[in-house]
Amino acid sequence: DNYWGTPGTGDCDCFTITSCAVLLVNGYKTGFSLYGNDKQPTHIAADVYLKKGGRLYSMPFDLCAPRIDKVKPYIWVQEYKLSL
């Protein structure tokens, strides 16, 4: 059950693991965020950390979405940073 509707091509957790690995190997600071509408998480997406105006901020990197920099609205989000 993924955004693209193609069976066997992965879902949000598959895409997040792949995205974080590729971002880390290419030197980007990365992490992931869990999203939910009640007590349990219902979505996960990678984050990429970028510098803008000397400040570090996170941008979603969601390969399940029509635009990788946008995540549909959820009630809550919990962010986790990764490092090698």
Side-chain angles (χ1 to χ4, degrees):
D1 185 26
N2 61 50
Y3 171 79
W4 305 107
T6 307
T9 59
D11 56 8
C12 61
D13 52 337
C14 299
F15 292 143
T16 298
I17 292 166
T18 303
S19 297
C20 287
V22 170
L23 288 166
L24 280 170
V25 166
N26 283 286
Y28 289 93
K29 293 184 184 300
T30 189
F32 62 92
S33 292
L34 295 174
Y35 300 88
N37 287 326
D38 52 35
K39 293 182 181 182
Q40 297 296 324
T42 56
H43 186 58
I44 185 171
D47 297 315
V48 61
Y49 293 90
L50 305 169
K51 277 192 177 179
K52 187 175 186 178
R55 187 168 175 253
L56 194 65
Y57 73 98
S58 68
M59 180 186 81
F61 195 85
D62 188 0
L63 296 179
C64 290
R67 287 185 47 172
I68 63 168
D69 62 339
K70 300 285 183 196
V71 177
K72 70 181 184 178
Y74 290 91
I75 293 173
W76 61 267
V77 59
Q78 177 65 51
E79 190 175 294
Y80 298 89
K81 292 182 182 177
L82 297 174
S83 62
L84 289 176

Coordinates of all heavy atoms in Angstrom, one line a residue:
D1 N 0.8 -1.2 0.0 CA 0.0 0.0 0.0 C 0.9 1.2 0.0 O 1.1 1.9 1.0 CB -0.9 0.0 1.2 CG -1.9 1.1 1.2 OD1 -2.2 1.6 0.1 OD2 -2.3 1.5 2.3
N2 N 1.4 1.6 -1.1 CA 2.3 2.8 -1.2 C 1.6 3.8 -2.1 O 0.7 3.6 -2.8 CB 3.7 2.4 -1.7 CG 3.7 1.8 -3.1 OD1 3.1 2.4 -4.0 ND2 4.3 0.7 -3.3
Y3 N 2.2 5.0 -2.0 CA 1.6 6.1 -2.8 C 1.5 5.8 -4.3 O 0.6 6.2 -4.9 CB 2.5 7.4 -2.6 CG 2.1 8.5 -3.5 CD1 1.0 9.3 -3.2 CD2 2.7 8.8 -4.6 CE1 0.5 10.3 -4.0 CE2 2.3 9.8 -5.5 CZ 1.2 10.5 -5.2 OH 0.8 11.5 -6.0
W4 N 2.5 5.2 -4.8 CA 2.6 5.0 -6.2 C 1.7 3.9 -6.7 O 1.5 3.7 -7.9 CB 4.0 4.7 -6.7 CG 4.9 5.8 -6.2 CD1 5.8 5.7 -5.2 CD2 4.9 7.2 -6.7 NE1 6.4 7.0 -5.0 CE2 5.9 7.9 -5.9 CE3 4.3 7.8 -7.6 CZ2 6.2 9.2 -6.1 CZ3 4.5 9.2 -7.8 CH2 5.5 9.8 -7.1
G5 N 1.1 3.1 -5.8 CA 0.1 2.1 -6.1 C 0.7 0.9 -6.9 O 0.0 0.1 -7.5
T6 N 2.0 0.6 -6.8 CA 2.7 -0.5 -7.4 C 3.0 -1.5 -6.4 O 3.9 -1.3 -5.6 CB 3.9 0.0 -8.2 OG1 3.6 1.1 -9.0 CG2 4.5 -1.1 -9.0
P7 N 2.4 -2.7 -6.4 CA 2.7 -3.7 -5.4 C 4.2 -4.1 -5.5 O 4.7 -4.2 -6.6 CB 1.8 -4.9 -5.8 CG 0.7 -4.2 -6.6 CD 1.3 -3.1 -7.3
G8 N 4.8 -4.4 -4.3 CA 6.1 -4.9 -4.3 C 7.2 -3.8 -4.4 O 8.4 -4.2 -4.5
T9 N 6.8 -2.6 -4.5 CA 7.9 -1.5 -4.7 C 8.2 -0.8 -3.4 O 9.0 0.1 -3.4 CB 7.4 -0.5 -5.7 OG1 6.2 0.1 -5.3 CG2 7.2 -1.1 -7.1
G10 N 7.7 -1.2 -2.2 CA 8.1 -0.6 -1.0 C 7.1 0.4 -0.5 O 6.1 0.7 -1.2
D11 N 7.2 0.7 0.8 CA 6.4 1.7 1.4 C 7.2 2.7 2.2 O 8.4 2.8 2.0 CB 5.3 1.0 2.3 CG 5.9 0.1 3.3 OD1 7.2 0.1 3.5 OD2 5.2 -0.6 4.0
C12 N 6.6 3.4 3.1 CA 7.3 4.6 3.7 C 8.5 4.1 4.5 O 9.6 4.8 4.5 CB 6.4 5.4 4.6 SG 5.6 4.5 6.0
D13 N 8.5 3.0 5.2 CA 9.7 2.6 6.0 C 10.8 2.1 5.1 O 12.0 2.4 5.3 CB 9.3 1.5 7.1 CG 8.5 0.3 6.5 OD1 7.9 0.5 5.5 OD2 8.6 -0.7 7.2
C14 N 10.5 1.4 4.0 CA 11.5 1.0 3.0 C 12.2 2.2 2.4 O 13.4 2.3 2.3 CB 10.9 0.2 1.9 SG 10.1 -1.3 2.4
F15 N 11.4 3.2 2.0 CA 11.9 4.4 1.3 C 12.7 5.2 2.3 O 13.7 5.9 2.0 CB 10.8 5.3 0.8 CG 10.1 4.7 -0.4 CD1 8.7 4.8 -0.6 CD2 10.8 3.9 -1.4 CE1 8.1 4.3 -1.7 CE2 10.1 3.4 -2.5 CZ 8.8 3.5 -2.6
T16 N 12.3 5.3 3.6 CA 13.0 6.1 4.6 C 14.4 5.5 4.9 O 15.4 6.2 4.9 CB 12.2 6.1 5.9 OG1 11.0 6.8 5.6 CG2 13.0 6.9 7.0
I17 N 14.5 4.1 5.0 CA 15.8 3.5 5.2 C 16.7 3.7 4.1 O 17.9 4.1 4.2 CB 15.6 2.0 5.5 CG1 14.9 1.7 6.8 CG2 16.9 1.2 5.4 CD1 14.3 0.3 6.9
T18 N 16.2 3.6 2.9 CA 17.0 3.8 1.7 C 17.5 5.3 1.6 O 18.6 5.6 1.3 CB 16.3 3.4 0.4 OG1 15.9 2.1 0.5 CG2 17.1 3.6 -0.9
S19 N 16.6 6.2 1.8 CA 16.9 7.6 1.7 C 17.9 8.0 2.7 O 18.9 8.7 2.4 CB 15.6 8.5 2.0 OG 14.7 8.3 1.0
C20 N 17.8 7.6 4.0 CA 18.7 7.9 5.0 C 20.1 7.4 4.7 O 21.1 8.1 4.9 CB 18.3 7.4 6.4 SG 16.9 8.4 7.1
A21 N 20.2 6.1 4.2 CA 21.5 5.5 3.9 C 22.2 6.3 2.7 O 23.4 6.6 2.8 CB 21.3 4.1 3.4
V22 N 21.4 6.7 1.7 CA 22.0 7.4 0.6 C 22.4 8.8 1.0 O 23.5 9.3 0.6 CB 21.0 7.5 -0.6 CG1 21.5 8.4 -1.7 CG2 20.8 6.1 -1.2
L23 N 21.6 9.5 1.8 CA 22.0 10.8 2.3 C 23.2 10.8 3.2 O 24.1 11.6 3.0 CB 20.8 11.4 3.1 CG 19.6 11.9 2.2 CD1 18.4 12.1 3.1 CD2 19.9 13.1 1.4
L24 N 23.3 9.8 4.1 CA 24.5 9.7 5.0 C 25.8 9.4 4.2 O 26.8 10.1 4.4 CB 24.3 8.6 6.0 CG 23.5 8.9 7.2 CD1 23.1 7.7 8.0 CD2 24.2 10.0 8.1
V25 N 25.7 8.5 3.2 CA 26.9 8.1 2.4 C 27.3 9.3 1.6 O 28.5 9.5 1.3 CB 26.5 6.9 1.5 CG1 27.6 6.7 0.4 CG2 26.4 5.7 2.4
N26 N 26.4 10.2 1.2 CA 26.8 11.4 0.4 C 27.1 12.6 1.2 O 27.2 13.7 0.7 CB 25.7 11.7 -0.6 CG 25.7 10.7 -1.8 OD1 26.6 10.8 -2.6 ND2 24.8 9.7 -1.8
G27 N 27.2 12.4 2.5 CA 27.7 13.5 3.4 C 26.7 14.4 4.0 O 27.0 15.4 4.6
Y28 N 25.4 14.1 3.8 CA 24.3 15.0 4.3 C 24.0 14.5 5.8 O 24.1 13.4 6.1 CB 23.0 14.8 3.5 CG 23.1 15.5 2.2 CD1 23.5 14.8 1.0 CD2 22.8 16.8 2.0 CE1 23.6 15.3 -0.2 CE2 22.9 17.4 0.8 CZ 23.3 16.7 -0.3 OH 23.4 17.3 -1.6
K29 N 23.7 15.5 6.6 CA 23.1 15.2 7.9 C 21.7 14.8 7.7 O 20.9 15.4 6.9 CB 23.2 16.4 8.8 CG 24.6 16.9 9.1 CD 24.6 18.0 10.1 CE 26.0 18.6 10.4 NZ 26.9 17.6 11.0
T30 N 21.3 13.7 8.3 CA 20.0 13.2 8.1 C 19.3 12.6 9.3 O 20.0 12.5 10.4 CB 20.0 12.1 7.0 OG1 18.7 11.7 6.6 CG2 20.8 10.9 7.4
G31 N 18.1 12.2 9.2 CA 17.4 11.6 10.3 C 16.1 11.1 9.8 O 15.9 11.0 8.5
F32 N 15.1 10.9 10.6 CA 13.8 10.6 10.2 C 12.8 11.1 11.2 O 13.1 11.5 12.3 CB 13.6 9.0 10.1 CG 13.8 8.3 11.4 CD1 12.8 8.0 12.2 CD2 15.1 7.9 11.7 CE1 13.0 7.3 13.4 CE2 15.3 7.2 12.9 CZ 14.2 6.9 13.7
S33 N 11.5 11.2 10.7 CA 10.4 11.7 11.6 C 9.3 10.6 11.6 O 9.0 10.1 10.5 CB 9.9 13.0 11.1 OG 10.8 14.0 11.3
L34 N 8.7 10.4 12.7 CA 7.5 9.6 12.8 C 6.3 10.5 12.9 O 6.4 11.5 13.6 CB 7.6 8.7 14.1 CG 8.7 7.6 14.1 CD1 8.7 7.0 15.5 CD2 8.5 6.6 13.1
Y35 N 5.3 10.1 12.2 CA 4.1 10.9 12.2 C 2.9 10.1 12.6 O 2.8 8.9 12.3 CB 3.8 11.4 10.7 CG 4.9 12.3 10.2 CD1 6.0 11.7 9.5 CD2 4.9 13.7 10.3 CE1 7.0 12.5 9.0 CE2 5.9 14.4 9.8 CZ 6.9 13.8 9.1 OH 7.9 14.6 8.6
G36 N 1.9 10.7 13.3 CA 0.7 10.0 13.7 C -0.5 10.9 13.8 O -0.4 12.1 14.0
N37 N -1.7 10.2 13.8 CA -2.9 10.9 14.1 C -3.6 10.4 15.4 O -4.6 10.9 15.7 CB -3.9 10.7 12.9 CG -3.4 11.5 11.7 OD1 -2.9 12.6 11.8 ND2 -3.6 11.0 10.5
D38 N -3.0 9.4 16.0 CA -3.5 9.0 17.3 C -2.2 8.5 18.1 O -1.1 9.0 17.8 CB -4.6 8.0 17.3 CG -4.3 6.8 16.4 OD1 -3.1 6.3 16.3 OD2 -5.2 6.3 15.8
K39 N -2.3 7.6 19.0 CA -1.2 7.2 19.8 C -0.1 6.4 19.0 O 1.0 6.5 19.4 CB -1.7 6.3 21.0 CG -2.5 7.1 21.9 CD -2.9 6.3 23.1 CE -3.8 7.1 24.0 NZ -4.2 6.4 25.2
Q40 N -0.4 5.7 18.0 CA 0.6 5.0 17.2 C 1.0 5.7 16.0 O 0.2 6.4 15.3 CB 0.0 3.6 16.8 CG -0.4 2.7 17.9 CD 0.8 2.3 18.8 OE1 1.8 2.1 18.2 NE2 0.6 2.2 20.1
P41 N 2.3 5.6 15.6 CA 2.8 6.2 14.4 C 2.1 5.6 13.2 O 1.8 4.4 13.2 CB 4.3 5.9 14.4 CG 4.6 5.3 15.7 CD 3.4 4.9 16.4
T42 N 1.8 6.4 12.2 CA 1.2 5.9 11.0 C 2.0 6.1 9.7 O 1.7 5.6 8.6 CB -0.2 6.5 10.8 OG1 -0.1 7.9 10.7 CG2 -1.2 6.1 11.9
H43 N 3.1 6.9 9.9 CA 3.9 7.2 8.7 C 5.4 7.5 9.2 O 5.5 8.0 10.4 CB 3.4 8.5 8.0 CG 4.1 8.8 6.7 ND1 4.2 7.9 5.7 CD2 4.8 9.9 6.3 CE1 4.9 8.5 4.7 NE2 5.3 9.7 5.1
I44 N 6.3 7.3 8.4 CA 7.7 7.6 8.7 C 8.3 8.2 7.4 O 8.0 7.8 6.3 CB 8.5 6.4 9.1 CG1 10.0 6.8 9.5 CG2 8.5 5.3 8.1 CD1 10.7 5.7 10.2
A45 N 9.2 9.2 7.5 CA 9.8 9.9 6.4 C 11.2 10.3 6.8 O 11.4 10.7 8.0 CB 9.0 11.0 5.9
A46 N 12.1 10.3 5.9 CA 13.5 10.8 6.1 C 13.5 12.3 6.2 O 12.6 13.0 5.7 CB 14.4 10.4 5.0
D47 N 14.5 12.9 6.9 CA 14.7 14.3 6.9 C 16.1 14.5 6.5 O 17.0 13.8 6.7 CB 14.6 14.8 8.4 CG 13.2 14.6 9.0 OD1 12.2 14.9 8.3 OD2 13.1 14.2 10.1
V48 N 16.3 15.6 5.8 CA 17.7 16.1 5.4 C 17.9 17.4 6.1 O 17.0 18.3 6.1 CB 17.9 16.1 3.9 CG1 16.9 17.1 3.2 CG2 19.3 16.5 3.5
Y49 N 19.1 17.6 6.7 CA 19.4 18.8 7.4 C 20.2 19.7 6.5 O 21.3 19.3 6.0 CB 20.1 18.5 8.7 CG 19.2 17.8 9.7 CD1 19.1 16.5 9.7 CD2 18.4 18.6 10.5 CE1 18.2 15.8 10.6 CE2 17.5 17.9 11.4 CZ 17.4 16.5 11.4 OH 16.6 15.9 12.2
L50 N 19.7 20.9 6.3 CA 20.4 21.9 5.4 C 20.7 23.2 6.2 O 20.0 23.5 7.1 CB 19.4 22.2 4.2 CG 18.9 21.0 3.4 CD1 17.8 21.4 2.5 CD2 20.1 20.4 2.7
K51 N 21.7 23.9 5.7 CA 22.0 25.2 6.3 C 21.4 26.3 5.4 O 21.5 26.3 4.2 CB 23.5 25.4 6.4 CG 24.1 24.8 7.6 CD 25.6 25.3 7.7 CE 26.1 24.6 9.0 NZ 27.5 25.0 9.2
K52 N 20.8 27.2 6.1 CA 20.2 28.4 5.4 C 20.4 29.6 6.2 O 19.9 29.6 7.4 CB 18.7 28.1 5.1 CG 18.1 29.2 4.2 CD 16.6 28.8 3.9 CE 16.0 29.8 2.9 NZ 14.6 29.4 2.6
G53 N 21.1 30.5 5.7 CA 21.4 31.7 6.5 C 22.2 31.4 7.8 O 22.0 32.0 8.8
G54 N 23.1 30.4 7.7 CA 23.9 30.0 8.8 C 23.2 29.2 9.9 O 23.8 28.8 10.9
R55 N 21.9 28.9 9.6 CA 21.1 28.1 10.6 C 20.8 26.7 10.0 O 20.5 26.6 8.8 CB 19.9 28.9 10.8 CG 19.0 28.3 11.9 CD 17.9 29.3 12.3 NE 17.0 28.6 13.3 CZ 15.8 28.2 13.0 NH1 15.3 28.4 11.8 NH2 15.1 27.6 13.9
L56 N 20.9 25.7 10.8 CA 20.6 24.3 10.4 C 19.1 24.1 10.6 O 18.5 24.3 11.6 CB 21.4 23.3 11.2 CG 21.5 21.9 10.7 CD1 22.2 21.8 9.4 CD2 22.2 21.0 11.7
Y57 N 18.4 23.6 9.5 CA 17.0 23.3 9.6 C 16.7 21.9 8.9 O 17.5 21.5 8.1 CB 16.1 24.4 9.1 CG 16.1 24.5 7.6 CD1 15.1 23.9 6.8 CD2 17.2 25.1 6.9 CE1 15.1 24.0 5.4 CE2 17.2 25.2 5.5 CZ 16.2 24.6 4.8 OH 16.2 24.7 3.4
S58 N 15.7 21.3 9.3 CA 15.3 20.0 8.7 C 14.3 20.2 7.6 O 13.3 21.0 7.8 CB 14.9 19.0 9.7 OG 13.7 19.3 10.2
M59 N 14.4 19.4 6.5 CA 13.4 19.4 5.5 C 13.0 18.0 5.3 O 13.8 17.1 5.2 CB 14.0 19.9 4.2 CG 13.0 19.9 3.0 SD 13.8 20.4 1.4 CE 14.5 18.8 1.0
P60 N 11.7 17.7 5.2 CA 11.2 16.3 4.9 C 11.8 15.8 3.6 O 12.0 16.6 2.6 CB 9.7 16.4 4.8 CG 9.4 17.7 5.4 CD 10.5 18.6 5.3
F61 N 12.1 14.6 3.5 CA 12.6 13.9 2.3 C 11.7 12.7 2.1 O 12.1 11.5 2.4 CB 14.1 13.6 2.4 CG 14.7 13.2 1.1 CD1 15.2 14.2 0.3 CD2 14.9 11.9 0.7 CE1 15.9 13.9 -0.9 CE2 15.5 11.6 -0.4 CZ 16.0 12.6 -1.2
D62 N 10.5 12.9 1.7 CA 9.4 11.8 1.8 C 9.2 11.3 0.3 O 8.5 11.9 -0.5 CB 8.1 12.4 2.3 CG 7.1 11.3 2.6 OD1 7.3 10.1 2.3 OD2 6.0 11.7 3.1
L63 N 9.7 10.1 0.1 CA 9.6 9.5 -1.3 C 8.2 8.9 -1.5 O 8.0 8.4 -2.6 CB 10.7 8.5 -1.5 CG 12.1 9.0 -1.6 CD1 13.1 7.9 -1.8 CD2 12.3 10.1 -2.6
C64 N 7.4 8.9 -0.5 CA 6.0 8.4 -0.7 C 5.0 9.5 -1.1 O 3.9 9.2 -1.4 CB 5.5 7.8 0.6 SG 6.3 6.3 1.1
A65 N 5.5 10.7 -1.1 CA 4.6 11.9 -1.4 C 4.8 12.3 -2.8 O 5.9 12.1 -3.4 CB 5.0 13.0 -0.4
P66 N 3.9 13.1 -3.3 CA 4.0 13.6 -4.7 C 5.2 14.6 -4.8 O 5.8 14.8 -5.8 CB 2.7 14.3 -5.0 CG 1.7 13.9 -3.9 CD 2.5 13.3 -2.8
R67 N 5.5 15.3 -3.7 CA 6.6 16.2 -3.6 C 7.4 15.8 -2.4 O 6.9 15.6 -1.3 CB 6.2 17.7 -3.3 CG 5.6 18.3 -4.5 CD 5.3 19.7 -4.3 NE 6.4 20.4 -3.6 CZ 6.4 21.7 -3.4 NH1 5.4 22.5 -3.8 NH2 7.5 22.3 -2.8
I68 N 8.7 15.6 -2.6 CA 9.5 15.0 -1.5 C 9.7 16.0 -0.3 O 10.0 15.5 0.8 CB 11.0 14.6 -2.0 CG1 11.8 15.8 -2.5 CG2 10.9 13.5 -3.0 CD1 13.2 15.5 -2.7
D69 N 9.4 17.2 -0.5 CA 9.6 18.2 0.6 C 8.3 18.5 1.4 O 8.3 19.4 2.2 CB 10.3 19.5 0.1 CG 9.4 20.2 -0.9 OD1 8.5 19.6 -1.5 OD2 9.6 21.4 -1.1
K70 N 7.3 17.8 1.1 CA 6.0 18.0 1.8 C 5.5 16.7 2.4 O 5.5 15.6 1.7 CB 4.9 18.5 0.8 CG 5.3 19.8 0.2 CD 5.2 20.9 1.1 CE 5.5 22.3 0.4 NZ 5.7 23.3 1.3
V71 N 5.0 16.7 3.6 CA 4.4 15.6 4.2 C 2.9 16.0 4.5 O 2.7 17.1 5.0 CB 5.1 15.2 5.6 CG1 4.4 14.1 6.3 CG2 6.5 14.8 5.3
K72 N 2.0 15.1 4.2 CA 0.6 15.5 4.5 C 0.4 15.8 6.0 O 1.2 15.3 6.8 CB -0.4 14.4 4.0 CG -0.3 13.1 4.8 CD -1.3 12.1 4.1 CE -1.4 10.9 4.9 NZ -2.4 9.9 4.4
P73 N -0.6 16.5 6.4 CA -0.7 16.9 7.8 C -1.1 15.7 8.7 O -1.9 14.9 8.4 CB -1.9 17.9 7.8 CG -2.4 17.9 6.4 CD -1.6 17.1 5.5
Y74 N -0.4 15.7 9.8 CA -0.6 14.7 10.9 C -0.8 15.5 12.2 O -0.3 16.6 12.3 CB 0.6 13.7 11.0 CG 0.7 12.8 9.9 CD1 1.4 13.1 8.8 CD2 0.0 11.6 9.9 CE1 1.5 12.2 7.7 CE2 0.1 10.7 8.8 CZ 0.9 11.0 7.7 OH 0.9 10.1 6.7
I75 N -1.4 14.9 13.2 CA -1.6 15.5 14.5 C -0.3 15.7 15.2 O 0.0 16.8 15.8 CB -2.6 14.7 15.3 CG1 -4.0 14.8 14.7 CG2 -2.6 15.3 16.8 CD1 -5.0 13.9 15.4
W76 N 0.6 14.7 15.1 CA 1.9 14.9 15.8 C 3.0 14.4 15.0 O 2.9 13.6 14.1 CB 1.9 14.2 17.2 CG 1.6 12.7 17.1 CD1 0.4 12.1 17.2 CD2 2.6 11.7 17.0 NE1 0.6 10.7 17.1 CE2 1.9 10.4 17.0 CE3 4.0 11.6 16.8 CZ2 2.6 9.2 16.9 CZ3 4.6 10.4 16.7 CH2 3.9 9.2 16.7
V77 N 4.3 14.8 15.4 CA 5.5 14.4 14.7 C 6.6 14.3 15.7 O 6.7 15.1 16.6 CB 5.9 15.3 13.5 CG1 6.1 16.7 14.0 CG2 7.1 14.8 12.8
Q78 N 7.4 13.3 15.6 CA 8.6 13.1 16.5 C 9.8 12.9 15.6 O 9.9 12.0 14.8 CB 8.5 11.9 17.4 CG 9.6 11.6 18.3 CD 9.9 12.8 19.3 OE1 9.0 13.2 20.0 NE2 11.1 13.2 19.3
E79 N 10.8 13.8 15.8 CA 12.0 13.9 14.9 C 13.2 13.1 15.6 O 13.4 13.3 16.8 CB 12.4 15.3 14.6 CG 13.4 15.5 13.6 CD 13.6 17.0 13.3 OE1 12.6 17.7 12.8 OE2 14.7 17.5 13.6
Y80 N 13.9 12.4 14.8 CA 15.1 11.7 15.3 C 16.3 12.0 14.4 O 16.2 11.8 13.1 CB 14.9 10.2 15.3 CG 13.8 9.8 16.3 CD1 12.5 9.7 15.8 CD2 14.1 9.5 17.6 CE1 11.5 9.3 16.6 CE2 13.1 9.1 18.4 CZ 11.8 9.0 18.0 OH 10.8 8.6 18.8
K81 N 17.5 12.4 14.9 CA 18.6 12.7 14.1 C 19.5 11.4 14.0 O 19.6 10.7 15.0 CB 19.5 13.8 14.7 CG 18.7 15.2 14.5 CD 19.6 16.3 15.1 CE 18.8 17.6 15.0 NZ 19.6 18.7 15.5
L82 N 20.2 11.2 12.9 CA 21.1 10.1 12.8 C 22.5 10.6 12.5 O 22.7 11.7 12.0 CB 20.7 9.2 11.5 CG 19.3 8.5 11.6 CD1 19.1 7.9 10.2 CD2 19.3 7.5 12.7
S83 N 23.5 9.8 12.9 CA 24.9 10.1 12.6 C 25.7 8.8 12.4 O 25.3 7.7 12.9 CB 25.5 11.0 13.7 OG 25.5 10.3 14.9
L84 N 26.8 8.9 11.7 CA 27.6 7.7 11.5 C 28.6 7.6 12.7 O 29.1 8.6 13.2 CB 28.4 7.8 10.2 CG 27.5 7.6 9.0 CD1 28.3 7.8 7.7 CD2 26.9 6.2 8.9

